[in-house]
mmCIF file of all heavy atoms in Angstrom:
data_model
loop_
_atom_site.group_PDB
_atom_site.id
_atom_site.type_symbol
_atom_site.label_atom_id
_atom_site.label_comp_id
_atom_site.label_asym_id
_atom_site.label_seq_id
_atom_site.Cartn_x
_atom_site.Cartn_y
_atom_site.Cartn_z
ATOM 1 N N ARG A 470 -2.561 -13.967 32.849
ATOM 2 C CA ARG A 470 -2.641 -15.032 33.849
ATOM 3 C C ARG A 470 -1.274 -15.342 34.458
ATOM 4 O O ARG A 470 -0.246 -15.111 33.825
ATOM 5 C CB ARG A 470 -3.261 -16.273 33.243
ATOM 6 C CG ARG A 470 -2.488 -16.818 32.047
ATOM 7 C CD ARG A 470 -3.249 -17.960 31.417
ATOM 8 N NE ARG A 470 -2.775 -18.161 30.064
ATOM 9 C CZ ARG A 470 -1.830 -19.002 29.758
ATOM 10 N NH1 ARG A 470 -1.266 -19.714 30.648
ATOM 11 N NH2 ARG A 470 -1.435 -19.126 28.506
ATOM 12 N N GLU A 471 -1.294 -15.873 35.646
ATOM 13 C CA GLU A 471 -0.120 -16.316 36.357
ATOM 14 C C GLU A 471 0.919 -15.206 36.590
ATOM 15 O O GLU A 471 2.126 -15.466 36.657
ATOM 16 C CB GLU A 471 0.527 -17.491 35.652
ATOM 17 C CG GLU A 471 -0.441 -18.679 35.542
ATOM 18 C CD GLU A 471 0.067 -19.734 34.552
ATOM 19 O OE1 GLU A 471 1.235 -19.650 34.092
ATOM 20 O OE2 GLU A 471 -0.698 -20.639 34.257
ATOM 21 N N GLY A 472 0.474 -13.984 36.659
ATOM 22 C CA GLY A 472 1.357 -12.880 37.019
ATOM 23 C C GLY A 472 2.294 -12.412 35.889
ATOM 24 O O GLY A 472 3.135 -11.571 36.143
ATOM 25 N N LEU A 473 2.153 -12.944 34.685
ATOM 26 C CA LEU A 473 2.997 -12.462 33.589
ATOM 27 C C LEU A 473 2.547 -11.071 33.117
ATOM 28 O O LEU A 473 1.370 -10.768 33.147
ATOM 29 C CB LEU A 473 2.924 -13.442 32.386
ATOM 30 C CG LEU A 473 3.455 -14.868 32.632
ATOM 31 C CD1 LEU A 473 3.191 -15.739 31.425
ATOM 32 C CD2 LEU A 473 4.933 -14.824 32.931
ATOM 33 N N VAL A 474 3.517 -10.278 32.705
ATOM 34 C CA VAL A 474 3.188 -8.939 32.206
ATOM 35 C C VAL A 474 3.491 -8.927 30.702
ATOM 36 O O VAL A 474 4.574 -9.236 30.254
ATOM 37 C CB VAL A 474 4.023 -7.859 32.928
ATOM 38 C CG1 VAL A 474 3.744 -6.486 32.355
ATOM 39 C CG2 VAL A 474 3.704 -7.868 34.403
ATOM 40 N N ARG A 475 2.502 -8.547 29.876
ATOM 41 C CA ARG A 475 2.630 -8.458 28.448
ATOM 42 C C ARG A 475 2.549 -7.025 27.997
ATOM 43 O O ARG A 475 2.003 -6.183 28.717
ATOM 44 C CB ARG A 475 1.505 -9.247 27.775
ATOM 45 C CG ARG A 475 1.495 -10.695 28.110
ATOM 46 C CD ARG A 475 2.361 -11.451 27.173
ATOM 47 N NE ARG A 475 2.261 -12.899 27.469
ATOM 48 C CZ ARG A 475 3.068 -13.794 27.027
ATOM 49 N NH1 ARG A 475 4.049 -13.408 26.253
ATOM 50 N NH2 ARG A 475 2.933 -15.024 27.333
ATOM 51 N N SER A 476 3.024 -6.767 26.787
ATOM 52 C CA SER A 476 2.980 -5.424 26.249
ATOM 53 C C SER A 476 2.111 -5.386 24.978
ATOM 54 O O SER A 476 2.117 -6.354 24.204
ATOM 55 C CB SER A 476 4.388 -4.927 25.873
ATOM 56 O OG SER A 476 5.177 -4.946 27.023
ATOM 57 N N LEU A 477 1.431 -4.312 24.747
ATOM 58 C CA LEU A 477 0.651 -4.087 23.519
ATOM 59 C C LEU A 477 0.881 -2.678 23.042
ATOM 60 O O LEU A 477 1.144 -1.759 23.847
ATOM 61 C CB LEU A 477 -0.838 -4.294 23.765
ATOM 62 C CG LEU A 477 -1.314 -5.701 24.036
ATOM 63 C CD1 LEU A 477 -2.798 -5.685 24.412
ATOM 64 C CD2 LEU A 477 -1.114 -6.595 22.824
ATOM 65 N N MET A 478 0.785 -2.472 21.737
ATOM 66 C CA MET A 478 0.895 -1.127 21.168
ATOM 67 C C MET A 478 -0.496 -0.522 21.057
ATOM 68 O O MET A 478 -1.451 -1.220 20.739
ATOM 69 C CB MET A 478 1.525 -1.213 19.755
ATOM 70 C CG MET A 478 2.954 -1.664 19.777
ATOM 71 S SD MET A 478 3.708 -1.658 18.138
ATOM 72 C CE MET A 478 2.987 -3.105 17.402
ATOM 73 N N VAL A 479 -0.599 0.751 21.339
ATOM 74 C CA VAL A 479 -1.873 1.455 21.184
ATOM 75 C C VAL A 479 -2.011 1.757 19.689
ATOM 76 O O VAL A 479 -1.103 2.298 19.037
ATOM 77 C CB VAL A 479 -1.853 2.793 22.015
ATOM 78 C CG1 VAL A 479 -3.136 3.561 21.759
ATOM 79 C CG2 VAL A 479 -1.679 2.489 23.477
ATOM 80 N N LYS A 480 -3.179 1.343 19.153
ATOM 81 C CA LYS A 480 -3.406 1.595 17.705
ATOM 82 C C LYS A 480 -3.433 3.064 17.397
ATOM 83 O O LYS A 480 -4.079 3.831 18.117
ATOM 84 C CB LYS A 480 -4.716 0.953 17.298
ATOM 85 C CG LYS A 480 -4.668 -0.585 17.242
ATOM 86 C CD LYS A 480 -6.004 -1.109 16.687
ATOM 87 C CE LYS A 480 -5.971 -2.624 16.689
ATOM 88 N NZ LYS A 480 -7.235 -3.140 16.132
ATOM 89 N N PRO A 481 -2.800 3.483 16.292
ATOM 90 C CA PRO A 481 -2.809 4.900 15.945
ATOM 91 C C PRO A 481 -4.077 5.345 15.235
ATOM 92 O O PRO A 481 -4.118 6.412 14.644
ATOM 93 C CB PRO A 481 -1.570 5.027 15.046
ATOM 94 C CG PRO A 481 -1.419 3.681 14.434
ATOM 95 C CD PRO A 481 -1.904 2.680 15.480
ATOM 96 N N CYS A 482 -5.125 4.498 15.214
ATOM 97 C CA CYS A 482 -6.320 4.808 14.483
ATOM 98 C C CYS A 482 -7.505 4.723 15.446
ATOM 99 O O CYS A 482 -7.362 4.541 16.621
ATOM 100 C CB CYS A 482 -6.508 3.844 13.337
ATOM 101 S SG CYS A 482 -6.602 2.118 13.874
ATOM 102 N N ALA A 483 -8.688 4.809 14.887
ATOM 103 C CA ALA A 483 -9.897 4.817 15.679
ATOM 104 C C ALA A 483 -10.399 3.432 16.054
ATOM 105 O O ALA A 483 -11.373 3.270 16.781
ATOM 106 C CB ALA A 483 -10.991 5.560 14.948
ATOM 107 N N HIS A 484 -9.778 2.370 15.501
ATOM 108 C CA HIS A 484 -10.215 1.011 15.817
ATOM 109 C C HIS A 484 -10.018 0.746 17.287
ATOM 110 O O HIS A 484 -9.019 1.133 17.917
ATOM 111 C CB HIS A 484 -9.501 -0.016 14.944
ATOM 112 C CG HIS A 484 -9.960 0.008 13.538
ATOM 113 N ND1 HIS A 484 -9.182 0.499 12.524
ATOM 114 C CD2 HIS A 484 -11.127 -0.433 12.977
ATOM 115 C CE1 HIS A 484 -9.859 0.380 11.370
ATOM 116 N NE2 HIS A 484 -11.044 -0.185 11.633
ATOM 117 N N GLU A 485 -10.928 -0.016 17.833
ATOM 118 C CA GLU A 485 -10.915 -0.318 19.269
ATOM 119 C C GLU A 485 -9.819 -1.299 19.603
ATOM 120 O O GLU A 485 -9.501 -2.194 18.848
ATOM 121 C CB GLU A 485 -12.269 -0.887 19.662
ATOM 122 C CG GLU A 485 -12.523 -0.919 21.129
ATOM 123 C CD GLU A 485 -13.926 -1.354 21.432
ATOM 124 O OE1 GLU A 485 -14.850 -0.740 20.869
ATOM 125 O OE2 GLU A 485 -14.070 -2.289 22.202
ATOM 126 N N GLY A 486 -9.254 -1.188 20.788
ATOM 127 C CA GLY A 486 -8.299 -2.127 21.272
ATOM 128 C C GLY A 486 -6.825 -1.801 20.953
ATOM 129 O O GLY A 486 -6.552 -0.797 20.285
ATOM 130 N N ASN A 487 -5.968 -2.664 21.411
ATOM 131 C CA ASN A 487 -4.556 -2.524 21.176
ATOM 132 C C ASN A 487 -4.100 -3.699 20.329
ATOM 133 O O ASN A 487 -4.833 -4.637 20.107
ATOM 134 C CB ASN A 487 -3.808 -2.452 22.506
ATOM 135 C CG ASN A 487 -4.263 -1.278 23.325
ATOM 136 O OD1 ASN A 487 -4.463 -0.186 22.828
ATOM 137 N ND2 ASN A 487 -4.446 -1.488 24.627
ATOM 138 N N CYS A 488 -2.828 -3.665 19.877
ATOM 139 C CA CYS A 488 -2.368 -4.740 19.001
ATOM 140 C C CYS A 488 -0.906 -5.046 19.256
ATOM 141 O O CYS A 488 -0.202 -4.333 19.965
ATOM 142 C CB CYS A 488 -2.554 -4.337 17.551
ATOM 143 S SG CYS A 488 -1.714 -2.848 17.103
ATOM 144 N N THR A 489 -0.446 -6.127 18.664
ATOM 145 C CA THR A 489 0.957 -6.557 18.770
ATOM 146 C C THR A 489 1.727 -6.248 17.490
ATOM 147 O O THR A 489 2.962 -6.328 17.497
ATOM 148 C CB THR A 489 1.113 -8.022 19.103
ATOM 149 O OG1 THR A 489 0.490 -8.767 18.081
ATOM 150 C CG2 THR A 489 0.456 -8.340 20.437
ATOM 151 N N ALA A 490 1.031 -5.934 16.397
ATOM 152 C CA ALA A 490 1.712 -5.672 15.116
ATOM 153 C C ALA A 490 1.042 -4.499 14.399
ATOM 154 O O ALA A 490 -0.183 -4.378 14.386
ATOM 155 C CB ALA A 490 1.689 -6.895 14.245
ATOM 156 N N LEU A 491 1.888 -3.690 13.821
ATOM 157 C CA LEU A 491 1.421 -2.573 12.978
ATOM 158 C C LEU A 491 2.085 -2.732 11.614
ATOM 159 O O LEU A 491 3.115 -3.379 11.507
ATOM 160 C CB LEU A 491 1.737 -1.235 13.594
ATOM 161 C CG LEU A 491 0.974 -0.869 14.870
ATOM 162 C CD1 LEU A 491 1.509 0.428 15.463
ATOM 163 C CD2 LEU A 491 -0.518 -0.713 14.610
#
Side-chain angles (χ1 to χ4, degrees):
R470 59 187 161 92
E471 300 167 9
L473 296 174
V474 177
R475 300 272 184 195
S476 301
L477 289 174
M478 294 183 284
V479 176
K480 288 184 181 181
C482 60
H484 286 107
E485 194 174 307
N487 300 319
C488 59
T489 59
L491 291 173

